[in-house]
């Protein structure tokens, strides 16, 4: 019997990679992609699979409890992979409430709907919640985030994700709902909205625009290729243990300014510019308020228990990513001009 899997936020950056992977790799799955299509949701990310008969797009808002309950009653999903979220730290600083609504209230609506729909039989069902390493707070020079690291969220974004993680675990503890949580580091790769560091800087370098570096640029992030994150989600969804948490990361720490310099070098080469040209665009600007100094993930558990490891070295992944953005100018132009918003109405005649 075909299994029905609900993926939320599947029109976003990571979600679109997860949807594509699930549709392509599992012929016995029917995939439902539930997405509100906020500014970050883009159906052009899924053009290659949109005509697959096992793929269904559902336009909707996870904050709307009535709609979510009806959806679960209608489809009797076998599993949920929950990625829908407001995801950009800078936006959370200007509009925290939107993050509370989608990330906290939206997650609780999905948990309630799953609990109700699955109440006769929890066996074989799974609510998989995709979260972030930012819930653990900020590291000093030393140490890595473990699954047992106490939560210490420090931005409205990470506070809302931490809250949603707590609710997911509370539903397991209180109601026995089958759940798994994973916490991942910074992703990079194709289809990322160009407000995040790497696609924004690729876009700006290509257009000879300043590269706005927050503060002194000496903030550290651990970078993982998005397709390796999607592979980890696939593995955890199928092989992970109920109730567990898995950290996902690239063992790949970079200070922002060092990463930006490498990116400038790659871009100079790709654009046939003299070495050093793009670096001249680096512009230090006022820091992000409450900017977390360092994130670094220890993904040993996922490696030892489920055998996952990143498939790409960072330099290779970065070059592939640059190539993708340079070869997909139309996608980038649509996103930056807002034209991608027309795609849904054209494609679905709504
Ligand atoms: P994204 O912003 O690219 O995509 C989010 C998607 O959710 C969009 O398609 C958007 O339309 C949809 N969405 C937003 N609000 C919604 C709502 N109320 N109802 C239904 N859909 C809604 O995000 P992303 O970077 O792909 O992140 C996906 C998930 O992974 C998030 O939960 C994020 O916290 C987590 N995460 C992201 C990273 C990263 O580096 N980007 C790292 C670790 C974890
Ligand atoms: O760690 C996982 C998180 O990574 C995810 O949960 C978030 O959804 C995702 O957005 C990302 O958060 P960051 O805040 O780390 O990503 P961002 O790309 O916004 O910034 C990366 C670093 O670069 C950070 O230290 C801020 C800095 N930066 C960012 C931008 C956009 C700049 O210096 N200038 C910029 O213009």
């Amino acid at each position: 019997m075909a299994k029905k899997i609900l993926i939320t936020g599947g029109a976003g950056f990571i979600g679109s990679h997860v949807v594509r992977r699930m549709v392509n790799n599992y012929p016995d799955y029917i995939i439902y992609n539930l997405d509100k299509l906020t500014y970050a949701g883009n159906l052009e990310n899924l053009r290659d699979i949109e005509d697959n008969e096992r793929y269904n797009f559902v336009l909707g808002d996870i904050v709307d409890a009535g709609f979510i309950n009806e959806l679960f009653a209608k489809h009797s999903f076998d599993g949920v992979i929950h990625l829908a979220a407001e995801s950009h730290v800078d936006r959370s600083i200007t509009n925290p409430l939107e993050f509370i609504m989608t990330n906290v209230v939206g997650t609780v609506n999905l948990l309630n709907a799953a609990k109700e729909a699955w109440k006769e039989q929890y066996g074989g069902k799974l609510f998989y919640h995709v979260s972030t390493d930012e819930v653990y707070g900020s590291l000093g020079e030393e140490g890595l985030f473990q699954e047992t690291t106490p939560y210490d969220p420090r931005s409205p974004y990470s506070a809302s994700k931490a809250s949603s993680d707590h609710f997911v675990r509370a539903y397991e503890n209180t109601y026995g709902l089958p759940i798994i949580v994973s916490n991942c580091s910074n992703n990079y790769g194709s289809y990322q909205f160009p407000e995040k560091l790497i696609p924004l800087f690729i876009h700006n370098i290509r257009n000879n625009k300043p590269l706005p570096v927050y503060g002194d640029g000496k903030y550290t992030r651990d970078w993982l290729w998005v397709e390796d994150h999607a592979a980890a989600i696939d593995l955890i969804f199928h092989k992970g243990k109920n109730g567990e948490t898995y950290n996902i990361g690239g063992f790949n720490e970079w200070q922002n300014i060092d990463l930006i310099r490498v990116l400038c070098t790659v871009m100079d080469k790709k654009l046939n510019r003299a070495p050093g040209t793009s670096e001249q665009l680096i512009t230090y600007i006022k820091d992000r308020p409450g900017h977390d100094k360092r994130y670094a993930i220890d993904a040993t558990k996922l490696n030892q228990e489920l055998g996952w490891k990143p498939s790409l070295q960072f330099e290779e992944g970065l070059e592939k990513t640059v190539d993708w953005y340079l070869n997909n100018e139309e996608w980038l132009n649509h996103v930056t001009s807002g034209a991608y918003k027309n795609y849904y109405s054209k494609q679905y005649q709504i």
Side-chain angles (χ1 to χ4, degrees):
M1 260 262 282
K3 280 191 169 182
K4 289 185 171 184
I5 310 296
L6 176 68
I7 300 178
T8 71
F13 165 48
I14 301 169
S16 62
H17 286 279
V18 174
V19 166
R20 177 176 300 101
R21 191 178 169 97
M22 292 294 171
V23 167
N24 288 337
N25 289 5
Y26 296 95
D28 56 335
Y29 283 5
I30 302 171
I31 299 297
Y32 291 81
N33 169 16
L34 165 62
D35 201 295
K36 182 182 172 185
L37 298 183
T38 67
Y39 78 94
N42 181 355
L43 287 173
E44 292 186 14
N45 297 357
L46 290 164
R47 263 187 178 169
D48 52 328
I49 55 122
E50 70 192 2
D51 294 328
N52 189 303
E53 57 189 15
R54 291 178 293 100
Y55 167 72
N56 303 279
F57 175 66
V58 182
L59 179 66
D61 187 344
I62 59 171
V63 177
D64 182 346
F67 162 76
I68 293 296
N69 292 338
E70 274 175 33
L71 188 73
F72 274 74
K74 186 169 164 199
H75 290 295
S76 49
F77 298 117
D78 296 287
V80 175
I81 306 178
H82 174 38
L83 296 111
E86 286 294 334
S87 69
H88 192 40
V89 174
D90 292 332
R91 287 179 190 255
S92 82
I93 295 167
T94 44
N95 190 2
L97 201 55
E98 186 133 22
F99 284 67
I100 297 166
M101 294 312 292
T102 287
N103 298 359
V104 186
V105 177
T107 300
V108 175
N109 283 340
L110 289 165
L111 288 167
N112 282 335
K115 176 167 83 69
E116 176 61 24
W118 297 343
K119 66 182 177 205
E120 304 300 335
Q121 171 72 283
Y122 278 163
K125 307 284 198 268
L126 179 62
F127 189 102
Y128 179 176
H129 177 62
V130 175
S131 193
T132 171
D133 61 356
E134 302 201 9
V135 297
Y136 297 122
S138 184
L139 290 163
E141 301 285 309
E142 299 289 314
L144 301 171
F145 295 134
Q146 321 281 333
E147 283 81 359
T148 50
T149 301
Y151 274 30
D152 182 23
R154 295 153 45 90
S155 74
Y157 165 66
S158 54
S160 68
K161 289 297 289 186
S163 173
S164 65
D165 294 9
H166 288 319
F167 273 105
V168 173
R169 296 193 181 103
Y171 271 59
E172 195 249 349
N173 183 60
T174 310
Y175 309 110
L177 192 76
I179 63 101
I180 290 181
V181 178
S182 62
N183 297 83
C184 188
S185 62
N186 285 60
N187 285 215
Y188 69 96
S190 52
Y191 300 110
Q192 187 169 32
F193 195 83
E195 63 183 353
K196 308 280 166 66
L197 182 74
I198 291 181
L200 175 71
F201 278 35
I202 292 174
H203 179 67
N204 285 10
I205 293 171
R206 197 186 57 166
N207 295 295
N208 275 311
K209 284 163 67 177
L211 304 177
V213 178
Y214 295 156
D216 62 5
K218 295 195 172 149
Y219 294 86
T220 301
R221 298 290 182 266
D222 167 8
W223 293 91
L224 179 67
W225 189 46
V226 63
E227 294 188 37
D228 281 331
H229 188 190
I233 289 172
D234 176 353
L235 184 66
I236 293 168
F237 183 68
H238 291 100
K239 298 270 163 38
K241 257 174 54 192
N242 185 14
E244 290 289 313
T245 297
Y246 297 91
N247 279 354
I248 311 171
F251 291 107
N252 176 43
E253 288 183 55
W254 287 83
Q255 276 197 352
N256 291 341
I257 193 62
D258 295 334
L259 183 156
I260 291 162
R261 291 209 170 99
V262 173
L263 181 62
C264 287
T265 305
V266 175
M267 290 292 287
D268 282 344
K269 199 173 82 188
K270 299 283 174 188
L271 297 171
N272 295 317
R273 291 181 179 168
T277 308
S278 301
E279 273 199 26
Q280 288 166 23
L281 298 168
I282 291 175
T283 310
Y284 290 92
I285 63 163
K286 193 165 164 281
D287 212 346
R288 171 186 280 176
H291 200 164
D292 285 337
K293 189 74 188 160
R294 175 172 166 255
Y295 306 141
I297 276 279
D298 183 353
T300 306
K301 173 177 169 180
L302 182 57
N303 174 257
Q304 289 186 346
E305 292 187 10
L306 302 185
W308 175 89
K309 60 178 192 308
S311 71
L312 281 189
Q313 292 294 314
F314 183 62
E315 286 76 1
E316 192 187 348
L318 190 66
E319 192 157 335
K320 257 172 118 77
T321 301
V322 166
D323 284 340
W324 188 86
Y325 286 94
L326 294 180
N327 291 332
N328 287 275
E329 254 184 281
E330 194 194 24
W331 182 91
L332 202 52
N333 290 340
H334 282 187
V335 172
T336 46
S337 70
Y340 70 108
K341 284 280 171 203
N342 303 332
Y343 185 72
Y344 174 77
S345 39
K346 266 207 221 119
Q347 176 66 17
Y348 292 88
Q349 279 105 44
I350 290 176

